[in-house]
Coordinates of all heavy atoms in Angstrom, one line a residue:
D7 N -93.7 3.7 9.7 CA -92.4 3.3 9.1 C -92.6 3.4 7.7 O -93.7 3.4 7.1 CB -92.1 1.8 9.4 CG -90.7 1.4 8.9 OD1 -89.6 1.9 9.5 OD2 -90.6 0.8 7.8
D34 N -86.4 -19.8 9.0 CA -85.5 -19.9 10.2 C -85.4 -18.4 10.6 O -84.8 -17.5 9.9 CB -84.3 -20.4 9.7 CG -83.1 -20.4 10.8 OD1 -83.5 -20.0 12.0 OD2 -82.0 -21.0 10.6
R59 N -78.2 -11.3 1.3 CA -78.6 -12.4 0.5 C -78.8 -13.6 1.5 O -78.1 -13.8 2.4 CB -77.4 -12.9 -0.5 CG -77.9 -14.0 -1.5 CD -76.9 -14.2 -2.5 NE -77.4 -15.1 -3.5 CZ -76.7 -15.6 -4.5 NH1 -75.5 -15.2 -4.6 NH2 -77.1 -16.4 -5.4
S69 N -95.4 -16.0 -6.9 CA -96.8 -15.4 -6.9 C -96.8 -14.5 -5.6 O -96.1 -14.7 -4.7 CB -97.8 -16.3 -6.9 OG -98.0 -17.0 -5.7
H90 N -84.5 0.6 10.2 CA -84.8 2.0 9.9 C -84.6 2.9 11.1 O -84.2 4.0 11.0 CB -86.3 2.1 9.3 CG -86.4 1.6 7.9 ND1 -87.7 1.4 7.3 CD2 -85.4 1.2 6.9 CE1 -87.5 0.9 6.1 NE2 -86.1 0.8 5.8
S107 N -85.6 -19.9 -13.2 CA -85.8 -21.3 -13.0 C -87.2 -21.5 -12.3 O -88.0 -22.3 -12.6 CB -84.7 -21.8 -12.2 OG -85.0 -23.3 -11.8
T174 N -87.8 3.0 -5.3 CA -87.1 1.9 -4.9 C -85.8 1.8 -5.6 O -85.7 1.9 -6.9 CB -87.8 0.5 -5.1 OG1 -89.1 0.6 -4.5 CG2 -87.0 -0.6 -4.6
V191 N -70.5 -2.1 -23.2 CA -69.7 -1.0 -23.3 C -70.3 0.3 -22.6 O -69.6 1.1 -22.0 CB -69.5 -0.7 -24.8 CG1 -68.8 0.7 -25.0 CG2 -68.7 -1.7 -25.5
D218 N -48.5 -8.2 -9.6 CA -47.1 -8.2 -9.2 C -46.2 -7.2 -9.9 O -45.3 -6.6 -9.3 CB -46.6 -9.6 -9.3 CG -47.3 -10.7 -8.4 OD1 -47.7 -10.2 -7.3 OD2 -47.5 -11.8 -8.7
S246 N -80.2 5.3 -28.3 CA -81.4 5.4 -27.6 C -81.2 5.8 -26.0 O -80.2 5.5 -25.4 CB -82.0 3.9 -27.6 OG -82.2 3.6 -29.0
Q272 N -59.0 -12.0 1.1 CA -58.6 -13.4 0.8 C -57.9 -13.5 -0.5 O -57.4 -14.5 -0.9 CB -59.8 -14.2 0.8 CG -60.5 -14.5 2.2 CD -61.6 -15.4 2.2 OE1 -61.7 -16.2 1.4 NE2 -62.5 -15.2 3.2

Side-chain angles (χ1 to χ4, degrees):
D7 182 78
D34 183 356
R59 189 169 188 187
S69 69
H90 285 172
S107 175
T174 304
V191 172
D218 292 331
S246 301
Q272 295 183 23

